[in-house]
Amino acid sequence: MRQFRHGLVLGKFYPFHAGHEHLICAAAARCQQVTVQVLGSRQESIPLEVRRDWVAGRFPMLDVVAAMDEAEVDFDSPAAWDQHMEVIESLLETPVDAVFSSDGYGAELARRLDAQWVRIDPGRASLPTSGTAVRADPAGHWWALSPQVRQWFCRRVVVLGAESTGSTTLARALAGYYRTRWVPEYGRTWSQIRPGGLEAPWHTAEFDLIAAEHLRQERDAMATAPIPLVISDTDVLATSIWHERYLGVSSPSVTELASRWRPDLYLLTGDEIPFVQDGLRDGEQLRHGMQQRFRDVLADQQVAWAEVAGDLAERVRTSVDLIDAVMADGWQLADPLG
């Protein structure tokens, strides 16, 4: 028999981290029913529905609800408390008999709900983290983030270029330098397994498939990377350029997806190196024209990009300087497909 009938956990979950998980697990172990309230405000940069989904995805067996709460955060103000309670009580379908928190506000919240305060991990001694600390330094608190939250914070750098410009070699080398995950070019994999082989006509649906699968693999890598950085060998934008090459027109669906799924940096590998035919490539006569098309498309979009040239060591040095600058430039909290 569990100790309490209905327990309450609330917070901003800005973002959701291991301390929150520990608190919710403690409530679930001691209550027959648990309601988790995710409260947000318009000033916060991570959308409320994203935070709600993080919690609900981790605890699908619990009641996870969300609402905007614009009241002032002043635990010494009865008037502020009254405003907070209007939101909190509106989200409760039945009374609670236990309030779980690690912070001191739990005492007043429990009193106002006529419930018992259960304090978990006072001072956060066992899990020393907070939403403020995570937002300031996601990399330093990577251990405290679930895969879905890591995906949100992870930076993505895309290496792309015309055929035989060394994009795969550079992507692999950069992943090795940073000791993180990289995403191979799914378009190349599809070229090897597609029905009819390379001689069969290409169809728009194939490029939709390539774009969707490559994006899926990128998101998986971002959720499981050991640091907040993933290197990708080509991406949806590159897929849209290859659609133009093989079908002669742009693909509205792939182009639209590329406009929403933007990386933090593009690295275009130079075409000054010798062409190597591997049996899957069109040919050297098309390479320079395709390279110029990549330049034109990159210049016409909003993500920072640079063309890197030289031998592999030179390309890695240039790329590392660019990536380090991106990583040091704060954390833009945005997931267009979230």
Side-chain angles (χ1 to χ4, degrees):
M1 189 69 177
R2 299 195 177 181
Q3 183 178 1
F4 300 104
R5 181 187 55 80
H6 186 185
L8 172 65
V9 177
L10 61 78
K12 290 181 174 295
F13 303 96
Y14 182 45
F16 181 50
H17 55 68
H20 297 134
E21 291 200 35
H22 178 60
L23 182 63
I24 296 171
C25 285
R30 299 175 66 174
C31 301
Q32 298 175 35
Q33 176 188 356
V34 174
T35 295
V36 182
Q37 294 187 358
V38 183
L39 306 177
S41 74
R42 290 187 297 270
Q43 298 178 348
E44 294 158 356
S45 55
I46 304 178
L48 182 65
E49 60 271 18
V50 170
R51 289 178 267 164
R52 177 202 60 209
D53 290 348
W54 283 341
V55 180
R58 175 64 180 85
F59 295 98
M61 73 295 293
L62 305 182
D63 297 321
V64 180
V65 294
M68 301 300 284
D69 180 4
E70 303 293 349
E72 180 185 7
V73 180
D74 183 355
F75 297 130
D76 295 324
S77 168
W81 265 108
D82 289 343
Q83 294 176 52
H84 288 301
M85 292 308 299
E86 288 184 14
V87 177
I88 293 167
E89 292 180 325
S90 72
L91 294 174
L92 291 173
E93 294 185 356
T94 60
V96 299
D97 55 345
V99 169
F100 290 77
S101 76
S102 60
D103 297 321
Y105 72 80
E108 177 63 12
L109 177 60
R111 185 190 71 78
R112 285 173 171 261
L113 291 172
D114 194 23
Q116 180 176 331
W117 178 33
V118 183
R119 193 168 196 180
I120 305 296
D121 193 17
R124 301 173 183 173
S126 64
L127 287 168
T129 190
S130 68
T132 301
V134 171
R135 294 194 303 276
D137 181 18
H141 297 83
W142 208 238
W143 61 270
L145 304 181
S146 66
Q148 291 74 21
V149 183
R150 289 185 177 190
Q151 185 182 90
W152 177 274
F153 281 97
C154 192
R155 295 295 181 87
R156 180 169 54 95
V157 172
V158 174
V159 184
L160 76 180
E163 292 180 327
S164 192
T165 56
S167 56
T168 298
T169 300
L170 180 59
R172 185 184 289 113
L174 290 173
Y177 176 88
Y178 286 102
R179 298 184 179 181
T180 191
R181 293 195 58 182
W182 74 289
V183 183
E185 178 187 1
Y186 185 71
R188 184 175 181 84
T189 300
W190 178 251
S191 296
Q192 295 170 323
I193 65 174
R194 66 188 295 261
L198 295 178
E199 302 304 319
W202 285 85
H203 301 282
T204 291
E206 294 182 83
F207 291 88
D208 287 325
L209 181 152
I210 291 168
E213 176 58 19
H214 191 90
L215 189 152
R216 185 197 66 77
Q217 292 186 21
E218 285 180 322
R219 290 176 72 90
D220 178 69
M222 294 166 73
T224 56
I227 63 171
L229 173 66
V230 160
I231 309 296
S232 187
D233 178 6
T234 78
D235 75 337
V236 178
L237 182 65
T239 303
S240 71
I241 296 174
W242 288 112
H243 185 281
E244 291 180 7
R245 158 70 185 91
Y246 287 111
L247 278 80
V249 295
S250 63
S251 164
S253 56
V254 177
T255 301
E256 192 276 334
L257 183 58
S259 72
R260 292 187 293 127
W261 184 240
R262 298 190 181 108
D264 295 276
L265 174 67
Y266 279 115
L267 297 172
L268 177 65
T269 46
D271 61 347
E272 82 286 354
I273 61 177
F275 183 89
V276 176
Q277 179 55 263
D278 64 357
L280 293 176
R281 292 168 176 157
D282 288 339
E284 187 171 9
Q285 73 279 7
L286 298 173
R287 183 169 68 151
H288 296 307
M290 285 298 296
Q291 186 76 357
Q292 187 57 49
R293 181 56 183 153
F294 272 97
R295 293 187 187 107
D296 293 343
V297 170
L298 289 171
D300 197 37
Q301 50 86 55
Q302 299 178 355
V303 176
W305 71 281
E307 188 163 355
V308 294
D311 63 21
L312 180 58
E314 291 175 302
R315 292 180 174 203
V316 168
R317 282 195 298 270
T318 302
S319 299
V320 165
D321 288 343
L322 293 166
I323 294 170
D324 286 351
V326 167
M327 298 292 286
D329 190 28
W331 295 91
Q332 301 175 4
L333 308 182
D335 182 357
L337 296 184

